[in-house]
Amino acid sequence: MPLDRVQQLELFTRMVRIRKFEEAIIAHNPVGHLSIGQEGAIVGACMALREEDYVTGTHRSHGHPIGKGADILPLMAEIFGKQTGICKGLGGSMHLTDTSKGLICESAIVGGGFPLATGAGLSIKVRKTDQVSLCFFGDGATNQGTFHESINMAAIWKLPVIYFCENNGYAVTTSVEKSHGQPDIARRADGYGIPGIIVDGQDAEAVYEVTQTAVNRARAGEGPTLIEAKTYRFDEHSNRLAIPIRYRSDEEISHHRTNRDPIILYRDILDERGLLAEAQAVEVAVTQLMEEAVQFAKDSREPDMQDLIDNMYSNPIHFPADAGFA
Amino acid sequence: MSELRNSTQKLSYLQAIVEAQREEMRRDERVILIGEDIAVYGAQTLFDEFDENRLWNTPISEGSFTGVGVGAALTGLRPIVDLTIASFAYLASDQIINQAAKLRFMTGGQLRVPLVVRLSTFYNNRTAAQHADRPYPLFMNTPGLKVIAPATASDMKGLLKSAIRDDDPVIVFEDINLWGKKEEVPVDPDFLIPIGKAHVKRAGSDVTIVGFAGSLPPSLAAAELLSKEGVDVEVIDLRTIVPMDKETILASVAKTGRLVIADNSHRIGSIASEIAAVVSEDGFESLRKPIQRVTTPSVHIPYNPTVEKQLYPTKDSIAAAVRRIL
Ligand SMILES: Cc1ncc(C[n+]2csc(CCOP(=O)(O)OP(=O)(O)O)c2C)c(N)n1
């Protein structure tokens, strides 16, 4: 089903939110693995999901909750480590979670999310709901054993899981070519007897469409799909990491920035469809929202020691007497 | 009902494990069992009663099926993951330590992880170094987990049922050397033993011995032996490792002034070390003699059974430790 105009603007809004959220991070300099350049893959996939569908994210963590429609203020406060943050300032960047939007967790342990998303798929099957579970990961993560183990289990049990690779070509400084026996992640699906699909990750609507197909398949009880979105990260692996070697050329980066920016590409499409004014209004509104979010984050209080204790166990009465708090 | 409440049935320690699971699976349809060849490890009768939606027999993928349990726990189920042999927990340690133990905290309490992980300690069984570990301290040192190590069929049934009903991840250590030990166990399906409470097995006034799991029977035997020598020994069964029942231990040491801890862990950084530290900090004035640890030396477990059995605390080594501080 193609996106209607409201959904097209929603897709655009979420992409712009990721971009401007991360620009705010750059401006204020907390730690952050930025998804700038990858917004089309993230939001295109999320638009194919319902709110109650599950998503697991990665260390490149801001796009996934925003793509799933999470509120911006608590996310920003979390990046600032404040008690009003979505995780009360205890998770921070790399671990943004908003369970109210189905974003069940993000793993900073590369490859750690595969089993969790698979378990969510198993739980859907046991509880007999028609949800799906979508697992985001990078190309680098697919070299972890959990990738193989998890997809194998999902395939044999026909779990409603979509394994969604944001292949940005690199794991920190290591290229796909230097770390994979063959460079197309999606071809690995054959080893599990499931569909593997490659899509242009800079074309948000194309991503939406292939994800929609995978979602329909999952909801119909036909099992998992492996999607590989070919995308690109414009910035360094992390905004606070100095990379001492040159592992990609300036020409390559500028080619993608100039010709392959998913937000510019989609704005052009909206323009062709007569939605330019609406798109520009989205950009203004998102800019204001980010200013408000940064102010909210700055004004919020820090967590204290009691917040740590309160969030360790389900029942604080059971907090171990020997844990070392006076 | 009251009849049921007061009646008992004779069960072995292993049968108590199976019955606890059966009762909880009957009571709560969210309880599922996940593991490799689970029928082999005592669950065979569960296959007669529950379908494949409740019993997930997995491929050999410890690192991931444990995480599948975590993902299922996050999304509304109450999984029991049977890792069978405790040494396999090292493969699953990322999912136990980085995910299960941390997710509640890192998400500011948005997530709950009502997961049970069963680990059998297979020592003293001629299985050699890669199967004979007793890794209690590893999980004691991981905040966010609860850890139980029962020594009797009743305690196993009551504690395992509490673990399944608990909203936090609980590691359950089973001791295969106790599997065959039978006892009258309460039939009441709501018979629960609270996690975090030690049990004074034998009252005495001269010296306190703390044991748990497989070190409890030799502790009780040592107490019997010593009573013939006129020494009045108090024996405490720790039962729960985290949260540790400091109060019961300190109260006993306040009475006896002498403490011996019997623990099958490797000596360095053992459960015994932790108890010794706690009593030195909070009960030093009560101590009339130095605390004695009876542990397994920090060497790997050999294949040869003659040397293997000399490594663990025995009736005689525990009694000798008591005599050293009389
Ligand atoms: C288990 C583990 N190993 C290494 C790291 C360090 N690390 C963080 S991100 C990263 C690269 C991941 O690459 P990829 O999966 O392609 O994701 P991308 O960063 O490209 O989004 C590495 C090696 C980690 N966090 N976890």
Side-chain angles (χ1 to χ4, degrees):
Chain A
M1 232 192 341
L3 295 166
D4 63 26
R5 286 161 70 96
V6 173
Q7 289 169 314
Q8 291 171 32
L9 286 170
E10 182 63 25
L11 195 170
F12 186 70
T13 304
R14 292 185 192 184
M15 286 202 292
V16 175
R17 283 182 170 189
I18 298 172
R19 179 70 55 94
K20 291 195 186 294
F21 188 90
E22 299 204 317
E23 285 171 355
I25 291 179
I26 295 170
H28 295 279
N29 204 33
V31 183
H33 299 77
L34 307 179
S35 293
I36 291 176
Q38 303 183 201
E39 299 92 338
I42 297 168
V43 183
C46 288
M47 288 299 293
L49 302 176
R50 301 178 191 152
E51 192 164 274
E52 68 272 18
D53 291 330
Y54 298 124
V55 164
T56 60
T58 69
H59 62 286
R60 201 167 295 290
S61 70
H62 319 119
H64 306 128
I66 297 174
K68 197 75 196 329
D71 286 348
I72 297 297
L73 267 59
L75 292 182
M76 188 67 83
E78 189 62 30
I79 301 295
F80 281 68
K82 297 300 180 72
Q83 199 274 341
T84 54
I86 184 72
C87 305
K88 305 206 174 100
L90 307 178
S93 189
M94 300 204 283
H95 313 110
L96 295 180
T97 294
D98 187 346
T99 54
S100 72
K101 301 291 178 195
L103 198 278
I104 49 172
C105 60
E106 303 205 296
S107 181
I109 305 298
V110 173
F114 295 120
L116 301 177
T118 308
L122 181 140
S123 147
I124 291 166
K125 185 161 182 152
V126 172
R127 291 182 292 107
K128 301 185 169 71
T129 69
D130 72 344
Q131 294 161 285
V132 301
S133 165
L134 187 141
C135 178
F136 281 111
F137 53 95
D139 44 280
T142 66
N143 287 327
Q144 287 281 33
T146 48
F147 172 84
H148 159 68
E149 294 180 349
S150 295
I151 298 188
N152 186 51
M153 280 187 270
I156 55 179
W157 297 332
K158 290 205 185 316
L159 302 182
V161 189
I162 295 116
Y163 295 94
F164 189 96
C165 181
E166 294 169 62
N167 182 352
N168 61 16
Y170 298 91
V172 194
T173 64
T174 308
S175 68
V176 167
E177 289 72 26
K178 288 187 175 151
S179 55
H180 292 67
Q182 64 81 20
D184 290 332
I185 307 299
R187 280 180 57 195
R188 297 197 190 184
D190 202 32
Y192 308 104
I194 64 168
I197 294 154
I198 297 177
V199 62
D200 176 3
Q202 308 312 84
D203 180 344
E205 284 195 359
V207 173
Y208 165 78
E209 276 160 26
V210 300
T211 312
Q212 185 72 270
T213 304
V215 166
N216 291 341
R217 196 181 124 76
R219 289 205 213 282
E222 291 163 22
T225 302
L226 173 59
I227 297 173
E228 175 185 9
K230 304 269 192 197
T231 182
Y232 199 78
R233 86 171 134 71
F234 293 176
D235 293 290
E236 266 320 343
H237 173 67
S238 149
N239 66 332
R240 299 255 292 246
L241 188 68
I243 306 270
I245 58 161
R246 283 179 58 78
Y247 62 95
R248 56 182 189 172
S249 68
D250 291 341
E251 295 73 45
E252 182 185 303
I253 300 170
S254 74
H255 163 73
H256 285 277
R257 272 193 203 279
T258 316
N259 307 312
R260 306 279 299 141
D261 184 326
I263 295 182
I264 295 174
L265 293 174
Y266 200 56
R267 195 204 280 116
D268 289 347
I269 289 173
L270 293 179
D271 187 6
E272 281 166 24
R273 293 176 188 164
L275 288 168
L276 185 62
E278 286 86 343
Q280 285 167 337
V282 163
E283 290 173 328
V284 172
V286 173
T287 304
Q288 279 170 3
L289 175 64
M290 291 306 154
E291 281 166 16
E292 190 194 331
V294 167
Q295 198 56 47
F296 170 74
K298 285 183 174 168
D299 293 344
S300 297
R301 81 161 171 87
E302 310 276 349
D304 59 24
M305 288 299 161
Q306 189 59 44
D307 291 314
L308 307 192
I309 294 173
D310 289 348
N311 288 288
M312 281 299 300
Y313 291 95
S314 56
N315 185 347
I317 293 166
H318 291 317
F319 193 78
D322 48 2
F325 281 92
Chain B
M1 194 67 200
S2 71
E3 205 176 293
L4 191 67
R5 203 153 271 150
N6 296 326
S7 59
T8 60
Q9 79 190 119
K10 197 160 193 143
L11 291 181
S12 72
Y13 183 87
L14 182 58
Q15 285 167 332
I17 294 169
V18 176
E19 288 314 308
Q21 295 177 125
R22 186 197 313 284
E23 288 176 9
E24 293 307 299
M25 287 178 76
R26 275 182 192 161
R27 190 186 63 84
D28 184 346
E29 62 182 15
R30 297 170 301 174
V31 179
I32 60 168
L33 182 59
I34 302 176
E36 282 163 13
D37 302 311
I38 39 183
V40 179
Y41 296 91
Q44 64 272 31
T45 58
L46 299 178
F47 279 86
D48 301 334
E49 184 169 348
F50 301 102
D51 69 16
E52 59 179 19
N53 243 0
R54 311 291 299 283
L55 297 163
W56 292 85
N57 201 44
T58 67
I60 305 165
S61 309
E62 291 80 2
S64 296
F65 74 64
T66 307
V68 165
V70 179
L74 301 179
T75 53
L77 299 185
R78 306 185 78 85
I80 305 166
V81 169
D82 183 2
L83 270 168
T84 62
I85 295 172
S87 308
F88 304 160
Y90 304 134
L91 287 98
S93 59
D94 173 58
Q95 292 294 324
I96 297 172
I97 298 172
N98 275 318
Q99 310 292 353
K102 294 179 184 171
L103 281 171
R104 178 186 176 84
F105 180 84
M106 289 206 310
T107 61
Q110 290 179 80
L111 294 175
R112 289 180 316 164
V113 191
L115 174 76
V116 169
V117 179
R118 287 176 42 208
L119 301 176
S120 314
T121 50
F122 261 75
Y123 65 103
N124 225 349
N125 194 39
R126 210 174 182 175
T127 53
Q130 289 180 339
H131 279 74
D133 281 341
R134 296 125 287 112
Y136 319 108
L138 176 64
F139 298 107
M140 172 181 72
N141 196 238
T142 303
L145 301 177
K146 295 172 181 171
V147 185
I148 62 175
T152 66
S154 302
D155 281 355
M156 176 52 89
K157 188 170 175 214
L159 276 162
L160 179 53
K161 286 167 71 75
S162 292
I164 296 168
R165 297 187 192 191
D166 200 286
D167 276 346
D168 295 319
V170 184
I171 308 292
V172 180
F173 280 104
E174 303 162 19
D175 195 310
I176 63 137
N177 300 291
L178 303 171
W179 268 359
K181 287 211 163 200
K182 291 199 170 173
E183 191 180 74
E184 289 295 332
V185 177
V187 170
D188 178 3
D190 285 322
F191 165 69
L192 299 174
I193 292 177
I195 292 174
K197 289 270 169 285
H199 184 209
V200 180
K201 287 294 269 194
R202 186 184 200 283
S205 56
D206 295 337
V207 59
T208 302
I209 301 177
V210 177
F212 63 95
S215 70
L216 186 73
S219 298
L220 289 167
E224 276 308 306
L225 183 73
L226 290 158
S227 77
K228 295 191 186 110
E229 299 169 19
V231 184
D232 191 17
V233 181
E234 178 143 308
V235 179
I236 294 174
D237 179 1
L238 192 60
R239 301 197 296 194
T240 297
I241 293 171
V242 180
M244 195 177 273
D245 185 356
K246 271 174 44 159
E247 291 72 24
T248 297
I249 299 170
L250 289 166
S252 176
V253 175
K255 185 168 63 165
T256 63
R258 294 179 173 89
L259 176 62
V260 172
I261 310 143
D263 171 7
N264 284 311
S265 315
H266 289 293
R267 185 175 188 79
I268 299 171
S270 56
I271 307 303
S273 303
E274 177 59 22
I275 295 172
V278 163
V279 173
S280 314
E281 278 181 347
D282 296 343
F284 188 73
E285 301 80 10
S286 319
L287 288 170
R288 289 149 66 179
K289 285 288 174 80
I291 298 167
Q292 300 294 305
R293 287 178 295 161
V294 186
T295 53
T296 299
S298 290
V299 297
H300 290 307
I301 302 306
Y303 171 67
N304 177 288
T306 312
V307 262
E308 178 182 9
K309 69 169 181 283
Q310 296 171 40
L311 294 174
Y312 311 115
T314 61
K315 174 181 74 172
D316 292 330
S317 64
I318 297 167
V322 170
R323 289 188 200 103
R324 284 199 294 275
I325 56 170
L326 284 176

